[in-house]
Amino acid sequence: MDLFVNLYQGFQISLTPINLLYCFTGVLLGTLIGVLPGIGPSAAIALLLPTTFRVSPVSAIIMLAGIYYGAMYGGSTTSILVNIPGEAASVVTCLDGYQMARKGRAGPALGIAAFGSFIAGTLSVVGLMVLAVPLSNVALKFGFPEYFAIMCLGLSIVSYLSQGSVFKSLLMAALGVSLSFVGMDVVVGKPRFDFGLLVLGDGVGLIPLLMGLFGISEVFLNVEEKTQAREIFQTKIKGLLPTLRDWKDSAGAILRGSGLGFFLGILPGGGALVSSFVSYAVEKKISKHPEKFGTGVIEGVAGPESANNAGAGGAFIPLFVLGIPSNVAMALLLGALMIHGLQPGPLLMQQHPEIFWGTIASMYIGNAMLLVLNLPLIGLWVKVLKVPYKILFPMILLFCMIGAYSENNNPADMLVMLFFGALGYLLRKYGYDLAPLILGFVLGRQMEQAFRQSLILSDGSFAVFFARPISSVAMALAIFLMVSALIPAFKKKRERIEAEKG
Amino acid sequence: MGWKGTAIREENSSEQIFINNSTTGGKIMKGQNFSKLVKLMVMGIIAAVTILTAEGSWAGDEKYPARPIQVVIGYNPGTTDACIRIFTDYFPKYIGQPITFVYKPGAAGTVGASFVAKSKPDGYTLLGCSTGPVILGPVTKEGLDFTLESFAPISRYVNAPMVLAVKSSSSIKTLKDLVEAAKSSPGKLTYATSGTLGSPHFGMEMFSREAKIKLIQVPCQGDSASVTALLGGHVDMGASSLGPYKPHVDSGAFRLLATWQKNRMKFLPEIPTFTEAGYPVVFPLWFGLVAPKAVPKEIVETIYQTTKKVLVENRAAIEDKYKLMGLELDLIGPEEFDKENKAHRDSTQTTFKEIKKNL
């Protein structure tokens, strides 16, 4: 019964008026920065961290955590409305969300994203509460070969992301992986592929890359089509909330997404982001109509959106239990704990239970606040579609610029973004999907590191990847998925060639 | 509190944009049109820009400091600024002006360092730094536009002792055990670091040369990743500054073998230095303040003396906060700081030449 006593005390802390206010401020800011393309949760937390120095540590953590999971709620909005992910974890939501909006179903898409986020968010808090300690120990068992194998598995789902040619999406994934090599080589300690530019010293920034490829290129593409009437104008907006049918279609996706997101979120390095990709692939794989994915099916929104919210919850586990941050936002929260004179690590939960339980309880409240906050906003967001381009586009450009700059306060990042804007424009014009590129980019760095670390430990023997059960199963699965996706593609190509001959 | 300055104001005004945004969001739900939201947002941004540009424009011949002093941090908010804040929070009371922080993260702190090296030497832009960007950076990185000599040292205020740790369950209990184990199976024992050519890597290279043993480095991305690798038992040892390892030392998961400091750590006096254990290698890690090179001597002196006064008069409270972060209060002034830095840079350069042969 310790659990309930602790939770009760947690609620006592988080239900005080001042903490409710901080929780509300956090989730509100989180929603807003999630909606603004470019300004990610980590930039916002970095910006607001210094303002929390004068408040009590638990209030500070409640607010900063609220920004983080609030941003996961808001992130889907621009993906659905204008095909620009509000933050990285919403890249996959563009695939079907934007298509739904084009069919006049922006409301249900936004609605299911909000409900899915709420359900997944709440489930992940339950998981966080019950499973935090045992799971963090499991995560530690993952050595370098296991990480590499899991990353391979992650990358093999590329073949399910493609809307057109499998080869094109593999090409994009390879480009993404190659881009991830830019920057400091941790093993040799030397910068590589950075053209001697200081801005590329840490590699290509995810935010400039994302905002360039999606945001800037979207603006370019639309400016080009300015003479044509905008499709969305003519489509009538049908309904603001998901129908019973929508609910039936997405219930399974939400639950599966929650589970996937929670467990993948625990692993270091963008768990929320990867889990949204995996969830999309799973939904497509088990769907009765996989061919409809990418044309605006609601499961394609419900699954990934649930996954990234659950992933946000899972990410707190290594932070609270071990004091190990699994992404940049968590590293900032770790900094916040230290600044408030707390020692993050295995003793935090014993020495300062009020921090852990107060934050957990506030996350229940915060998730409810987010739902209440987001549902009425759907009506407003849908109206964004009616804003004339001459106003909407300069705004998008401006926010992308601010977002790229504010991550590191480095003006050169805006140039990096413009470069990728031009690249994204060309790629999209020639029918290359961008989602596999992002997946490759995010996984590439960690995959390479885990690969090289494994080989250092095994003294160069590749057998290390098949030596232990977790890694061998994951490797086998990855190879199977890759081959099974490629064979039909090869077959189709051969048939076409033969047809052309005959 | 009278706690308003450049960085803080920058943050507040950005917040202002969000708040404008939210209040108009409310209005719109009551039925007003979208263009009003746009107008208000643009107005908010213009207002923010005006405030920001106005900030920089007033400078004069008044007595230093006549306005808030800005400390550039080459990282995201975290240890580097937290350990400066601990004493600069007292500054408004002592010299009438607050210290504000600007974050310029990137390239292991060298982006921020490069920015300060090129800044106006008027004493209003300082660099809050550690060993990495100003000593290791210029030695190991090609094409940087600054060297150690681009800065005027002000003070070092804390040591961040670098330590070597094993898991408590390890059969290695002392540094001697480690050397014996390494000699009986050369090239088998592994250690985690925050990355190749980082401070822990340098420390381990110096040690294994001195002890004539061969150890295998497993570079991880940052100290947190090296904690994870050691905690999971995927490597045999880990080297890092004490901060990230301390929670696990306190919980009993890690055992410390030695520290690279010149002297034993004040709060863990039972841990020997490498020198005491028979391997005379020292690698000091610290946090300090430096200014652009041409800064007037009086300014350096003003900041150092103020720091000294704050630390003397509030010692107990400040020392406790540092201890929790695994840092050791140890203030030295400009001359000594300069001498130590140059000596450290020279020894690092020698080690670097050795390491480079094997990379």
Side-chain angles (χ1 to χ4, degrees), chain A residues 147-157 443 447 474-475 478 482:
Chain A
Y147 270 113
F148 177 70
I150 297 275
M151 301 287 162
C152 280
L153 189 57
L155 205 54
S156 72
I157 60 174
L443 290 181
M447 210 164 110
M475 285 304 280
M482 222 45 182

Side-chain angles (χ1 to χ4, degrees), chain B residues 78-152:
Chain B
T79 315
T80 314
D81 57 319
C83 68
I84 301 176
R85 251 178 239 282
I86 287 174
F87 66 84
T88 56
D89 273 1
Y90 294 92
F91 269 37
K93 225 166 61 191
Y94 284 76
I95 48 168
Q97 289 294 343
I99 305 288
T100 64
F101 293 86
V102 174
Y103 304 95
K104 294 209 172 277
T110 50
V111 172
S114 157
F115 176 82
V116 171
K118 285 180 286 189
S119 293
K120 216 165 128 191
D122 56 4
Y124 291 103
T125 307
L126 311 176
L127 178 69
C129 65
S130 52
T131 318
V134 293
I135 293 187
L136 281 189
V139 171
T140 59
K141 285 180 195 288
E142 283 165 30
L144 283 188
D145 54 0
F146 65 90
T147 64
L148 180 59
E149 277 75 15
S150 310
F151 301 102

Side-chain angles (χ1 to χ4, degrees), chain A residues 33 47 53-54 140-143 184 186-188 202 322 324-325 338 341 343-344 380 387 409 449 453 456-457, chain B residues 3 11 18 28 34 79 82 85 103-107 141 190 196 216 219 221 224 228 234 246-248 250 324:
Chain A
I33 55 135
L47 213 60
F53 291 149
R54 296 288 179 269
L140 281 179
K141 294 272 182 302
F142 277 63
M184 180 61 76
V186 185
V187 175
V188 185
D202 284 334
L322 299 171
I324 295 169
M338 286 193 324
Q343 180 174 289
L380 167 69
V387 176
N409 294 339
Q449 263 178 38
Q453 286 163 334
I456 289 175
L457 285 179
Chain B
W3 226 81
E11 280 141 16
F18 295 134
I28 286 200
F34 188 78
T79 315
R85 251 178 239 282
Y103 304 95
K104 294 209 172 277
K141 285 180 195 288
T190 55
T196 298
I216 304 295
Q221 181 92 56
S224 291
T228 316
H234 306 295
K246 187 166 178 282
H248 306 282
D250 292 350
L324 208 63

